């Protein structure tokens, strides 16, 4: 359905296309990839070929020239594939690691990193969190020191999505001893440089089809051309990046919630207890009505905020509210869906336990619930 | 090369289908390009890319079919034609559709016309061959490979799992079988370009046809869903007794022996 001012007939066609792609080329393999703890690299190349990794990037950088909402369509639809891991890995590629390169990068950086990422030929990661630092970006310790025409990077990053096989990392570093935001700068670091290594692949409760790793930088030398944007401006750049990360995270949470809700609705219509479908019982029917309500409330909020974001505004309070609400809703809906499935919901042979595990992550990634509340409370004058 | 594709908008048989008042319930059904016609569209685009020329996609239906035509344009077809019979016809059959299409195509000097082997809704597989017959050109059905060199057309067709190679000449009409190709997904730029491509809308009048000329020759008497499958029965007890009971049931209940 078209939905002005957000979705035109072209978005509807795109949605149909993505749905078909997900049904044919992603969903049938999700179980296998979850089991293996990674999905094949060919998913990146295939999605690159189909233009799905650059929907909202302009044609000059190899994108499809679509608007911001074309990327929202992808985030919503791919999150209905039956897991949250692969969609998260794709979101890192399209909306987390690459937007700062597009926005702050040089032409040369567009050619070397953005284009191949859009084509699916290079896998991108974003390096913010460290073993001792997550939410407090200003406190990060990974250090880059200037040495002539080069920078020497030392430090460790953790919880890095796509980390085991990324070809480059959009990396947040400290470039000055001065405390505060002015000491932070961004670099793009190729992972085939001397001194770079993957510490270990991390095991986790959900998002299992997506690989997560610890990255070690031991005297990694990068040329000055790999500095992204201006030296000392990294904090503002990464704060801008996080807004997009939160928007796409909200869109993904809605897709995931819709998936869990649909599963629960179908189940409630077919599963019988006391000689009738359990959906006939008010306790289940009202639960589904509440789930639908929560999803729609968050969907409208997400679209409205994304609309402002797509028109160049950066309403950080509303983005934080949207991300907080959508992430909490996603987990709440998955939890209620599991309850409707009862004992079956707890079993691995049904799709709900995975949705439940995966839906826990959006409340932590891209800024925790607590950080969202901090941002909101500061903006309401506390 | 002047290439035409006959396309039908159908409901998606992978979705749940319900029947109301002797007809398929269109409320809530998902509509798609008939999957076999999608192979025809893909083959047409590949022919155009290899031999030059133009791909025109034609459908007979109502305004809703514009969506499926736009999808074909987004895949890469050049032009689309919707022959809208909504105001003129209450019902039609394969004869109706074939007659309208043939009337439209008769002065178009088509080199090749591609259609699906069968539509997944009514499944008659008649429209393609009937159009060819009315145009007095050869046709080959259920094709899985197509090669054109000059005027010579070499076709491999699926014959119940075996294949048969046939040579014929242009102009020709072929109907596509699964396996002919892998239809492409429309790209976002393709989708955006599609809305600017020409989509012509015609009515029976424009083809100098009256309702009487295309009046259906057949009538659907009844339409019903297959019976729902009932749970199987598991026999128990001694093997000998089970065999006896099975034979007895096959004879008396299932009446197959």
């Amino acid at each position: 359905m078209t939905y002005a001012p957000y979705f035109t007939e072209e978005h509807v066609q795109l949605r149909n296309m993505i749905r078909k792609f997900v049904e044919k080329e992603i969903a049938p393999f999700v179980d296998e990839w979850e089991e293996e703890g990674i999905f094949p690299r060919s998913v990146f190349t295939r999605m690159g070929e189909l233009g799905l990794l650059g929907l909202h990037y302009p044609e000059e950088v190899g994108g499809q020239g679509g608007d911001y909402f074309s990327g929202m369509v992808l985030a919503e639809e791919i999150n209905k594939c039956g897991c949250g891991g692969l969609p998260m890995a794709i979101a890192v590629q399209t909306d987390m690691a690459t937007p700062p390169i597009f926005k702050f990068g040089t032409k040369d950086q567009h050619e070397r990193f953005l284009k191949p990422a859009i084509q699916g030929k290079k896998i991108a990661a974003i390096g913010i969190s460290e073993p001792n630092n997550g939410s407090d970006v200003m406190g990060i310790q990974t250090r880059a020191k200037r040495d002539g025409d080069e920078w020497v990077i030392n430090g460790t990053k953790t919880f890095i999505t796509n980390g085991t096989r990324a070809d480059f990392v959009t990396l947040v570093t400290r470039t000055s001893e001065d405390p505060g935001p002015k000491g932070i700068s961004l670099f793009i670091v190729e992972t085939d440089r001397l001194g770079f290594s993957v510490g270990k692949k991390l095991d986790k409760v959900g998002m299992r089809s997506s690989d997560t790793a610890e990255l070690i930088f031991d005297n990694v030398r990068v040329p000055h051309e790999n500095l992204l944007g201006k030296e000392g401006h990294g904090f503002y750049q990464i704060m801008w990046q996080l807004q997009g990360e939160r928007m796409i995270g909200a869109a993904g949470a809605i897709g995931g919630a819709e998936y869990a809700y649909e599963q629960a609705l179908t189940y409630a219509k077919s599963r019988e207890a006391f000689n009738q479908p359990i959906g006939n019982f008010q306790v289940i029917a009202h639960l589904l009505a509440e789930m639908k309500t929560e999803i729609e409330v968050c969907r409208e909020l997400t679209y409205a905020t994304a609309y402002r974001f797509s028109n160049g505004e950066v309403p950080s309070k509303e983005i934080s509210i949207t991300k907080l609400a959508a992430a909490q809703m996603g987990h709440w809906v998955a939890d209620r869906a599991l309850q409707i499935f009862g004992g079956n919901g707890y079993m691995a042979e049904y799709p709900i336990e995975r949705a439940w595990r995966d839906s826990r992550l959006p409340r932590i990634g891209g800024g925790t619930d607590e950080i969202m509340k901090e941002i909101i409370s500061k903006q309401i004058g506390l | 090369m002047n290439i035409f594709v006959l396309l039908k908008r159908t409901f998606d048989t992978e979705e749940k289908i319900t029947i109301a008042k002797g007809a398929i319930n269109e409320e809530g059904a998902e509509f798609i390009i008939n999957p076999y016609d999608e192979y025809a569209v893909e083959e047409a685009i590949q022919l155009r890319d290899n031999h030059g020329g133009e791909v025109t996609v034609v459908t007979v239906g109502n305004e809703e079919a514009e969506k499926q035509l736009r999808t074909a344009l987004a895949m890469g077809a050049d032009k689309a034609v919707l022959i809208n019979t909504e105001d003129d016809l209450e019902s039609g059959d394969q004869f109706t559709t074939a007659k309208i299409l043939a009337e439209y195509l008769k002065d178009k000097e088509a080199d090749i016309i591609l259609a699906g082997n069968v539509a997944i809704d009514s499944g008659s597989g008649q429209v393609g061959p009937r159009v060819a017959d009315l145009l007095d050109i050869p046709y080959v059905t259920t094709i899985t490979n197509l090669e054109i060199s000059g005027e010579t057309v070499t076709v491999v067709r699926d014959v119940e799992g075996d294949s048969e190679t046939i040579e014929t000449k242009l102009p020709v009409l072929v109907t596509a079988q699964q396996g002919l190709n892998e239809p492409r997904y429309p790209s976002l730029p393709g989708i955006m370009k599609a809305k600017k491509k020409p989509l012509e809308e015609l009515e029976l009048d424009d083809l100098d046809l009256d309702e009487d000329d295309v009046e259906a020759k057949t009538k659907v008497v009844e339409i019903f869903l297959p019976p729902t499958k009932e749970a199987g029965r598991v026999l128990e007890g001694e093997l000998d007794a089970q065999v006896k009971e099975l034979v007895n049931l096959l004879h008396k209940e299932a009446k197959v022996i």
Side-chain angles (χ1 to χ4, degrees):
Chain A
M1 287 280 284
T2 60
Y3 184 8
Y6 312 128
F7 298 107
T8 62
E9 185 54 42
E10 286 75 55
H11 291 113
V12 175
Q13 296 249 7
L14 176 70
R15 194 181 289 278
N16 289 341
M17 176 259 153
I18 294 173
R19 229 173 242 178
K20 206 164 161 184
F21 166 73
V22 169
E23 258 169 41
K24 263 173 72 178
E25 303 190 28
I26 305 284
F29 310 103
V30 160
D31 286 350
E32 193 184 314
W33 298 340
E34 282 278 308
E35 185 76 26
E36 281 170 25
I38 198 162
F39 61 89
R41 205 182 162 102
S42 59
V43 173
F44 283 103
T45 42
R46 177 69 176 144
M47 288 184 72
E49 250 171 48
L50 294 174
L52 294 176
L53 299 178
L55 289 170
H56 57 75
Y57 286 116
E59 286 170 25
E60 302 91 82
V61 294
Q64 302 290 298
D67 62 0
Y68 189 71
F69 276 85
S70 54
M72 301 274 292
V73 170
L74 175 67
E76 280 186 3
E77 291 305 321
I78 201 167
N79 271 283
K80 296 176 193 162
C81 74
C83 72
L86 181 142
M88 176 174 72
I90 297 301
V92 166
Q93 182 88 358
T94 57
D95 287 82
M96 300 184 198
T98 49
I101 303 177
F102 173 62
K103 179 133 171 136
F104 309 112
T106 60
K107 269 219 162 84
D108 168 63
Q109 288 169 338
H110 287 173
E111 288 297 322
R112 283 160 63 209
F113 303 107
L114 183 56
K115 272 191 186 173
I118 287 173
Q119 291 164 343
K121 290 178 181 160
K122 281 188 180 171
I123 299 177
I126 177 114
I128 306 176
S129 290
E130 299 179 351
N132 298 320
N133 257 296
S135 299
D136 178 12
V137 175
M138 231 181 280
I140 59 142
Q141 291 163 352
T142 296
R143 187 74 167 90
K145 281 192 178 158
R146 182 98 192 228
D147 180 19
D149 284 341
E150 291 183 326
W151 290 83
V152 185
I153 302 170
N154 280 289
T156 307
K157 294 287 176 183
T158 195
F159 309 146
I160 307 305
T161 299
N162 296 340
T164 68
R165 57 176 170 182
D167 295 294
F168 65 85
V169 185
T170 304
L171 191 72
V172 185
T173 67
R174 173 158 286 286
T175 45
S176 145
E177 293 307 332
D178 298 337
K182 289 197 170 155
I184 308 285
S185 305
L186 303 188
F187 285 90
I188 312 169
V189 182
E190 300 92 333
T191 55
D192 58 0
R193 290 195 179 271
L194 205 65
F196 172 88
S197 62
V198 175
K200 59 183 168 198
K201 185 180 170 196
L202 302 168
D203 196 7
K204 51 196 190 299
V205 68
M207 301 296 205
R208 297 187 69 87
S209 54
S210 159
D211 59 302
T212 309
E214 184 179 79
L215 308 182
I216 298 164
F217 300 82
D218 179 16
N219 284 315
V220 177
R221 288 182 166 268
V222 296
H224 186 67
E225 298 92 79
N226 282 30
L227 175 72
L228 178 56
K230 281 189 190 159
E231 185 186 340
H233 285 234
F235 185 76
Y236 302 103
Q237 292 166 353
I238 206 66
M239 286 300 127
W240 173 85
Q241 179 278 342
L242 282 166
Q243 305 303 320
E245 178 165 340
R246 287 164 191 160
M247 273 319 321
I248 214 70
I254 285 159
E258 222 174 3
Y259 171 79
Y261 161 80
E262 292 290 344
Q263 299 280 338
L265 181 66
T266 308
Y267 189 78
K269 285 180 185 169
S270 61
R271 167 79 179 188
E272 296 207 352
F274 307 103
N275 298 316
Q276 53 183 312
I278 59 169
N280 285 3
F281 297 110
Q282 197 180 53
V283 69
I284 302 292
H286 283 193
L287 195 49
L288 283 159
E290 278 183 341
M291 288 157 75
K292 182 69 177 161
T293 304
E294 293 292 321
I295 293 171
E296 292 307 318
V297 166
C298 286
R299 188 204 303 280
E300 294 303 321
L301 180 61
T302 303
Y303 291 168
T305 311
Y307 188 69
R308 293 173 65 183
F309 189 61
S310 72
N311 284 315
E313 260 187 89
V314 186
S316 68
K317 182 179 80 203
E318 284 74 13
I319 290 174
S320 298
I321 290 173
T322 304
K323 195 271 186 182
L324 174 68
Q328 292 193 337
M329 177 279 294
H331 189 55
W332 184 87
V333 166
D335 190 60
R336 295 314 183 273
L338 194 151
Q339 193 69 23
I340 290 170
F341 271 77
N344 284 335
Y346 204 65
M347 296 298 124
E349 62 190 283
Y350 284 83
I352 289 300
E353 60 87 29
R354 185 187 296 148
W356 184 70
R357 286 186 283 113
D358 291 354
S359 68
R360 193 64 185 79
L361 189 273
R363 295 187 50 197
I364 298 168
T368 59
D369 283 4
E370 292 67 32
I371 289 295
M372 293 307 101
K373 290 175 197 172
E374 272 299 295
I375 295 169
I376 298 161
S377 58
K378 273 186 193 140
Q379 296 221 16
I380 58 176
L382 294 167
Chain B
M1 190 175 283
N2 198 9
I3 307 161
F4 284 82
V5 180
L6 313 181
L7 179 147
K8 186 177 189 181
R9 167 182 188 264
T10 65
F11 48 79
D12 191 346
T13 49
E14 287 185 17
E15 304 286 326
K16 194 173 165 64
I17 289 167
T18 55
I19 289 180
K21 290 178 198 153
I24 306 282
N25 197 353
E26 298 206 349
E27 288 288 313
E30 294 281 331
F31 286 87
I32 54 170
I33 297 178
N34 174 40
Y36 292 96
D37 301 351
E38 224 174 10
Y39 299 124
V41 174
E42 175 63 38
E43 198 66 16
I45 294 167
Q46 289 185 18
L47 281 178
R48 191 255 340 257
D49 291 349
N50 292 335
H51 299 271
E54 200 172 60
V55 175
T56 308
V57 187
V58 193
T59 195
V60 176
N62 59 28
E63 230 160 52
E64 290 294 311
E66 190 182 323
K67 286 188 184 138
Q68 282 66 40
L69 289 176
R70 291 275 177 216
T71 304
L73 292 173
M75 286 171 74
D78 301 289
K79 295 191 325 201
V81 177
L82 168 62
I83 305 174
N84 192 338
T85 57
E86 202 169 11
D87 296 336
D88 296 328
L89 298 177
E90 269 185 26
S91 63
D93 64 0
Q94 294 80 11
F95 165 76
T96 312
T97 309
K99 176 81 182 166
I100 295 169
L101 287 170
E103 208 55 35
Y104 166 78
L105 286 162
K106 69 178 185 192
D107 56 0
K108 296 293 181 290
E109 293 180 351
D111 292 304
I112 184 163
I113 302 168
L114 299 106
N117 154 48
V118 68
I120 59 166
D121 50 5
S122 48
S124 78
Q126 288 189 30
V127 171
R130 276 174 179 267
V131 169
D133 192 55
L134 289 167
L135 295 173
D136 201 20
I137 60 171
Y139 68 84
V140 186
T141 57
T142 57
I143 72 161
T144 55
N145 194 44
L146 174 67
E147 266 161 50
I148 298 176
S149 162
E151 294 291 298
T152 307
V153 181
T154 311
V155 174
V156 180
R157 68 182 293 263
D158 171 42
V159 194
E160 303 278 328
D162 285 333
S163 45
E164 187 177 44
T165 305
I166 291 176
E167 212 177 87
T168 180
K169 293 235 176 289
L170 295 178
V172 65
L173 182 146
V174 293
T175 71
Q177 170 69 310
Q178 186 171 11
L180 177 61
N181 52 46
E182 192 58 47
R184 70 193 66 195
Y185 298 103
S187 68
L188 182 58
I191 290 167
M192 295 196 289
K193 269 183 227 146
K195 69 176 169 185
K196 295 191 193 96
K197 288 182 179 175
L199 193 152
E200 187 184 7
E201 197 174 323
L202 302 173
E203 293 191 3
L204 289 190
D205 258 4
D206 302 312
L207 301 172
D208 285 329
L209 283 171
D210 284 330
E211 289 155 51
D212 297 347
D213 300 331
V214 297
E215 194 185 350
K217 305 240 184 229
T218 57
K219 190 168 107 187
V220 175
V221 181
E222 197 189 350
I223 189 162
F224 54 89
L225 293 172
T228 47
K229 206 177 166 197
E230 286 175 28
R233 196 187 310 175
V234 180
L235 302 177
E236 281 171 13
E238 291 293 322
L239 198 59
D240 279 4
Q242 281 192 44
V243 172
K244 271 185 193 152
E245 199 188 343
L246 178 64
V247 173
N248 194 29
L249 288 171
L250 287 173
H251 180 58
K252 290 200 171 135
E253 212 169 281
K255 297 191 167 88
V256 291
I257 53 171

